[in-house]
């Protein structure tokens, strides 16, 4: 929700990235490789969102340079 409205986008995306890393670790330990592949795509998407945060044009509130 915070990411959609642009409230602390950088912090929200960083927290999401940490959460996805924990999910990937858990699924890898469980050896659920189908889920790991899907979550790696999510991680890639989050990486691109973080990388292109400076182009945040659709957010209700722009992130300040954090």
């Amino acid at each position: 929700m915070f990411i959609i409205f642009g409230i602390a986008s950088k912090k929200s995306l960083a927290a999401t990235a940490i959460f996805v890393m924990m999910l990937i670790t858990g699924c890898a330990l469980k050896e659920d490789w189908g889920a790991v592949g899907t979550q790696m795509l999510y991680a890639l998407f989050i990486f691109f969102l973080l990388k292109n945060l400076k182009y945040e044009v659709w957010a209700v509130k722009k992130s300040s340079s954090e």
Side-chain angles (χ1 to χ4, degrees):
M1 187 65 87
F2 287 116
I3 297 169
I4 293 171
F5 291 121
I7 301 168
S9 295
K10 191 173 188 177
K11 292 177 185 175
S12 299
L13 284 170
T16 304
I18 291 169
F19 181 68
V20 168
M21 285 190 300
M22 291 186 327
L23 285 175
I24 290 170
T25 303
C27 285
L29 290 174
K30 191 176 144 187
E31 297 181 5
D32 186 3
W33 304 118
V36 170
T38 303
Q39 291 165 358
M40 290 295 281
L41 290 174
Y42 295 154
L44 186 64
F45 183 71
I46 292 167
F47 167 76
F48 283 120
L49 285 175
L50 275 168
K51 184 78 174 153
N52 296 314
L53 197 58
K54 60 185 171 187
Y55 302 114
E56 183 181 33
V57 294
W58 290 102
V60 175
K61 177 186 172 210
K62 300 271 191 274
S63 295
S64 60
S65 58
E66 299 175 30

